[in-house]
């Protein structure tokens, strides 16, 4: 409670103890001050976010690999450049497509099961999983964020030449190889041949027609997959979407939003140990019954049949474009 001092012209504090009403009013004043400060901080953060968003739309800065991380630089390097992004390897601009996040969600149960097989305990109170994943083909690094959002924080995807890394024996320590390789040239075949000889589990997102290629059938005939042939995981209702980054030069068949011409693609999955492969397939079949977004099968044809049976009660066809 404030009293007036007639001699000084200033308010003098009351000598009486404050009433409950005065205490509550003082608390309210402090709370209003905190809210005002909070709104001010929020406006600053929004302004910073808007600036960063606008800057990202202009395209990423030139960068180079420094210990597995990207470091801003103005220097030029050998390799191919695409709209300000400098690669340490030769790249076809048409191959710069980031993978649909749904595709990663569809193998989340698979990766968590493989993590347990590799000795990483499952946590019931946290989605975080420490299994080490390697995507050897670099586009713009979105795979790190996409897998990280699912709890997989140990993902190696660096701006480096995969084939040089293999040739120079600089492969990182990893438990599972997860990638969507470039579809141009012979990248798919080279990727699969490396994986077959690696002795590690792998999940590769590929067009469905790959299993009909003569070189793929020859790998099967030669027993390259051992006693555990690959199995497949694919979508039920809609094809995976592949988008080119905003900074990449886009061919005529790519829309203004970066969406490429749709096509059927599925995860090709292989475990070198037949016992582990069998248990993983059984685990995924159980998980398959708990949802209707993806299916698992030992054949590409089996994927299509399962997806049709799930869609039949909904009277839906397979979609290539989002609605």
């Amino acid at each position: 409670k404030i009293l007036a001092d007639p001699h000084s012209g200033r308010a003098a504090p009351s000598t009486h103890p404050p009433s409950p009403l005065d205490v509550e009013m003082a608390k309210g004043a402090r709370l209003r001050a905190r809210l005002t400060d909070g709104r001010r901080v929020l406006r600053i953060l929004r302004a910073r976010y808007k600036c960063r968003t606008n800057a990202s739309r202009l395209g990423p800065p030139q960068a180079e690999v420094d210990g597995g991380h990207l470091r801003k630089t103005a220097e030029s390097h050998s390799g191919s450049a695409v709209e300000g992004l400098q690669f340490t390897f030769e790249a076809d601009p048409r191959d710069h497509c980031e993978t649909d996040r749904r595709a990663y969600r569809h193998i989340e149960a698979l990766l968590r099961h493989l993590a347990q097989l590799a000795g990483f305990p499952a946590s019931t109170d946290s989605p975080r999983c420490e299994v080490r994943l390697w995507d050897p083909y670099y586009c713009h690094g979105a795979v790190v964020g996409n897998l990280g959002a699912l709890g997989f924080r140990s993902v190696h995807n660096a701006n480096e030449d995969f084939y040089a890394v293999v040739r120079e024996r600089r492969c990182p320590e990893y438990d599972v190889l997860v990638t969507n390789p470039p579809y141009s040239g012979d990248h798919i075949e080279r990727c699969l041949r490396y994986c077959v000889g690696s002795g590690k589990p792998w999940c590769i997102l590929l067009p469905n027609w790959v299993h009909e290629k003569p070189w793929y059938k020859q790998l099967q005939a030669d027993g390259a997959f051992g006693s555990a042939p690959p199995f497949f995981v694919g979508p039920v209702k809609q094809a995976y979407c592949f988008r080119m980054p905003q900074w990449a030069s886009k061919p005529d068949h790519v829309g203004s939003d970066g969406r490429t011409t749709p096509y059927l693609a599925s995860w090709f999955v292989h475990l070198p140990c037949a016992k582990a492969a069998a248990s993983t397939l059984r685990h995924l079949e159980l998980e398959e019954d708990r949802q209707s977004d993806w299916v698992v099968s030992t054949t590409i044809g089996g994927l299509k049949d399962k997806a049709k049976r799930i869609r039949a009660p909904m009277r839906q066809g397979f979609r290539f474009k989002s609605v």
Side-chain angles (χ1 to χ4, degrees), residues 1-2 20 90-91 93 105 132 138 152 176 206 220 229 233 236 254 265 276 309 321:
K1 190 174 182 179
I2 302 299
E90 293 297 330
R105 290 200 297 268
R132 297 167 299 179
Y138 184 83
F152 302 101
V176 185
L206 297 174
Q220 291 178 308
V233 176
V236 170
V254 176
R309 286 197 296 269
K321 294 183 179 180

Side-chain angles (χ1 to χ4, degrees), residues 9-229:
R10 296 191 301 268
S14 173
T15 57
H16 301 288
S19 66
L21 179 60
D22 294 332
V23 172
E24 292 301 322
M25 291 178 65
K27 289 182 179 179
R30 289 194 296 270
L31 179 59
R32 285 192 296 273
R34 291 178 181 175
L35 289 174
T36 301
D37 292 339
R39 292 190 185 100
R40 187 181 300 112
V41 171
L42 184 59
R43 285 196 298 268
I44 293 173
L45 293 176
R46 283 176 176 171
R48 290 180 178 177
Y49 176 78
K50 186 175 181 180
C51 290
R52 291 179 180 177
T53 302
N54 291 338
S56 65
R57 290 173 180 170
L58 298 177
Q62 286 185 323
E64 66 177 359
V65 174
D66 183 16
H69 300 282
L70 291 177
R71 177 165 57 87
K72 295 179 182 178
T73 180
E75 300 175 0
S76 61
H77 299 267
S78 60
S80 61
V82 179
E83 295 287 333
L85 182 65
Q86 190 72 39
F87 294 98
T88 60
F89 52 89
E90 293 297 330
D92 187 332
R94 296 170 298 178
D95 285 331
H96 293 299
C97 292
E98 293 289 358
T99 305
D100 193 335
R101 293 180 181 180
R102 290 188 308 117
Y104 295 117
R105 290 200 297 268
H106 289 177
I107 60 170
E108 180 181 0
L110 166 64
L111 294 179
R112 291 189 180 279
H113 183 74
L114 295 181
Q116 293 185 40
L117 293 180
F120 295 92
S123 175
T124 57
D125 57 354
S126 172
R128 183 160 183 165
C129 182
E130 300 298 334
V131 65
R132 297 167 299 179
L133 307 178
W134 181 30
D135 184 346
Y137 292 100
Y138 184 83
C139 177
H140 194 42
V143 60
V144 177
N146 290 335
L147 286 171
L150 298 175
F152 302 101
R153 304 300 178 87
S154 183
V155 181
H156 183 93
N157 179 238
N159 184 1
E160 57 191 4
D161 185 345
F162 169 41
Y163 307 115
V165 168
V166 172
R167 184 171 57 252
E168 298 166 8
R169 298 184 178 180
R170 294 186 287 109
C171 297
E173 293 292 330
Y174 71 97
D175 301 297
V176 185
L177 188 145
V178 180
T179 192
N180 176 25
Y183 293 170
S184 67
D186 60 350
H187 290 295
I188 293 178
E189 181 178 356
R190 295 176 72 181
C191 176
L192 267 174
R193 290 190 181 279
Y194 166 78
C195 291
V196 166
S198 67
K200 296 285 189 73
W202 43 267
C203 310
I204 309 178
L205 186 59
L206 297 174
N208 288 355
W209 45 255
V210 167
H211 82 289
E212 294 290 347
K213 286 291 183 179
W215 58 263
Y216 185 87
K217 292 183 176 181
Q218 190 61 49
L219 286 175
Q220 291 178 308
D222 294 341
F225 298 120
S227 57

